[in-house]
C-alpha cells in the first residue's frame, strides 16, 4: 500500500505538468491560452533537421508517448521526456517534461511563446571535451503566433555546431500561440488604452454639450438657425483667438517685441 501511495505522489506532479497552462507575458500585457498546443497520448509533432537524417518527435506541455513515431525511443522510460531526437542508429532523449519552462516569443511578448525543455539526467547528457557526460541537452521550441495555422505546424529544426551542440532549436507556427484578442501579424492586443478612454469621454461629452445646448436655445430662448449653436459668440471668436495665440507664441520663440494684446 505504501508503494502505491509513493507512486501516486511521484505521478501527480507529472500529471499536473501534462497540460499547457495559461501564460502571461513578461510585461504583463498579453495572456495566452496554450491548451490547444498539447496533443493526445497517441499523437506527436514531428520534423527533420534540414537535410540530415536526424528526426525529431515531441509533444508540448506533456510527455511524448506516441509509439508510432518513436522508433527505438520506445525503449526509453515512458512518461519522462517531451522531446526525442532519432538519428540513423540511436534514440536520444532531449528534454524532460518536468524541466519545462515557458517564456516570451522570439519577436517579443506579443509574438508567441518559447517552450524550453532540458535534460538533466546523466545517462542522456552530452559529452564535454574530456568525453564526460556533463552538458545538459536543451530543446527550445519557438511557437510563433499565426492565426492561419489552426493546426500547429513545425517550420524548421536546427542543431547548431559546437560549442552550442546539443542545443536544439525547433520553430513552429500556431494559432494557439496567439495572445487573447490578437489574430497574428502584429498590432495591438485589442485592449482599450488610456488614450482611447480619453477620446471616448471627450467626444461623448462634446456631443451631449452640443445636443443639450441646441435644445435649450431652441425651446427656452426661441433661437433658430445658426443661433441655436450653444455659446455661438465663443465659437465665432475662436479662430481669431487661435491666430492671436499663434502670433504670441511665435513672438516669444523668436524673441520678438512689439506684440500688442487684444
Amino acid at each position: 500500500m505504501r508503494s502505491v501511495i509513493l507512486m501516486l505522489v511521484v505521478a501527480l506532479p507529472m500529471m499536473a505538468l501534462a497540460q499547457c497552462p495559461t501564460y502571461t507575458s513578461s510585461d504583463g500585457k498579453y495572456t495566452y491560452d496554450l491548451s490547444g498546443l498539447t496533443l493526445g497520448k497517441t499523437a506527436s509533432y514531428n520534423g527533420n533537421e534540414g537535410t540530415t537524417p536526424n528526426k525529431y518527435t515531441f509533444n508540448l506541455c506533456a510527455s511524448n508517448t506516441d509509439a508510432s513515431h518513436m522508433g527505438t525511443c520506445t525503449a526509453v522510460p515512458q512518461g519522462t521526456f517531451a522531446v526525442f531526437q532519432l538519428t540513423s542508429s540511436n534514440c536520444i532523449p532531449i528534454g524532460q517534461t518536468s524541466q519545462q519552462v515557458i517564456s516570451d516569443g522570439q519577436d517579443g511578448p506579443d509574438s508567441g511563446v518559447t517552450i524550453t525543455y532540458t535534460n538533466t539526467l546523466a545517462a542522456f547528457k552530452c559529452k564535454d571535451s574530456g568525453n564526460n557526460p556533463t552538458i545538459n541537452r536543451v530543446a527550445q521550441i519557438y511557437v510563433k503566433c499565426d492565426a492561419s495555422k489552426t493546426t500547429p505546424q513545425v517550420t524548421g529544426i536546427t542543431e547548431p555546431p559546437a560549442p552550442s551542440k546539443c542545443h536544439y532549436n525547433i520553430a513552429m507556427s500556431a494559432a494557439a500561440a496567439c495572445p487573447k484578442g490578437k489574430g497574428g501579424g502584429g498590432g495591438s492586443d485589442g485592449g482599450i488604452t488610456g488614450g482611447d478612454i480619453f477620446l471616448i469621454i471627450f467626444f461623448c461629452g462634446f456631443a451631449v454639450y452640443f445636443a443639450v445646448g441646441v435644445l435649450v436655445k431652441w425651446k427656452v430662448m426661441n433661437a433658430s438657425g445658426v443661433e441655436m449653436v450653444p455659446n455661438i459668440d465663443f465659437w465665432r471668436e475662436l479662430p481669431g483667438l487661435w491666430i492671436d495665440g499663434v502670433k504670441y507664441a511665435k513672438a516669444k520663440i523668436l524673441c520678438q517685441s512689439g506684440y500688442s494684446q487684444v
Side-chain angles (χ1 to χ4, degrees):
M1 183 67 180
R2 292 181 62 185
S3 61
V4 172
I5 295 174
L6 180 61
M7 289 175 65
L8 288 173
V9 169
V10 173
L12 284 174
M14 295 299 294
M15 290 171 63
L17 286 166
Q19 299 177 9
C20 271
T22 298
Y23 172 71
T24 301
S25 60
S26 60
D27 60 7
K29 294 182 178 180
Y30 305 96
T31 301
Y32 294 83
D33 177 5
L34 303 176
S35 58
L37 294 176
T38 303
L39 298 178
K41 293 182 178 180
T42 58
S44 62
Y45 298 108
N46 298 277
N48 283 38
E49 181 188 329
T51 58
T52 72
N54 297 338
K55 297 180 180 180
Y56 294 78
T57 179
F58 61 96
N59 202 349
L60 295 175
C61 307
S63 297
N64 183 0
T65 55
D66 179 15
S68 64
H69 288 92
M70 293 180 67
T72 56
C73 290
T74 54
V76 176
Q78 298 298 293
T80 304
F81 295 94
V83 189
F84 296 92
Q85 181 194 58
L86 294 166
T87 68
S88 56
S89 58
N90 293 315
C91 166
I92 303 175
I94 294 176
Q96 295 165 255
T97 312
S98 61
Q99 300 297 317
Q100 171 182 295
V101 175
I102 301 178
S103 56
D104 292 347
Q106 274 186 306
D107 299 323
D110 64 339
S111 66
V113 296
T114 300
I115 304 178
T116 303
Y117 292 100
T118 303
N119 170 62
T120 60
L121 299 179
F124 304 113
K125 287 189 175 185
C126 271
K127 294 181 178 180
D128 57 24
S129 57
N131 205 33
N132 299 307
T134 60
I135 303 174
N136 290 339
R137 297 181 188 273
V138 179
Q140 284 195 298
I141 304 171
Y142 305 102
V143 193
K144 185 176 182 179
C145 166
D146 187 338
S148 67
K149 298 296 188 298
T150 52
T151 299
Q153 293 184 4
V154 178
T155 57
I157 301 176
T158 59
E159 179 187 0
S164 298
K165 190 172 176 61
C166 300
H167 190 130
Y168 311 86
N169 299 316
I170 301 174
M172 298 182 66
S173 295
C178 292
K180 292 181 179 179
K182 179 180 177 182
S188 68
D189 62 347
I192 296 179
T193 65
D196 296 331
I197 295 173
F198 171 78
L199 292 174
I200 291 171
I201 294 174
F202 175 80
F203 285 110
C204 288
F206 185 82
V208 171
Y209 152 77
F210 189 83
V212 172
V214 168
L215 185 63
V216 169
K217 294 194 73 174
W218 175 43
K219 289 292 187 180
V220 178
M221 304 175 68
N222 296 317
S224 61
V226 72
E227 295 301 323
M228 290 193 300
V229 175
N231 304 109
I232 185 62
D233 293 335
F234 167 77
W235 295 112
R236 282 171 173 160
E237 294 175 4
L238 185 61
L241 294 173
W242 184 82
I243 293 172
D244 286 342
V246 171
K247 289 180 178 179
Y248 179 77
K250 180 181 178 182
K252 286 294 185 181
I253 293 172
L254 300 178
C255 299
Q256 295 175 347
S257 60
Y259 178 82
S260 60
Q261 293 183 338
V262 177

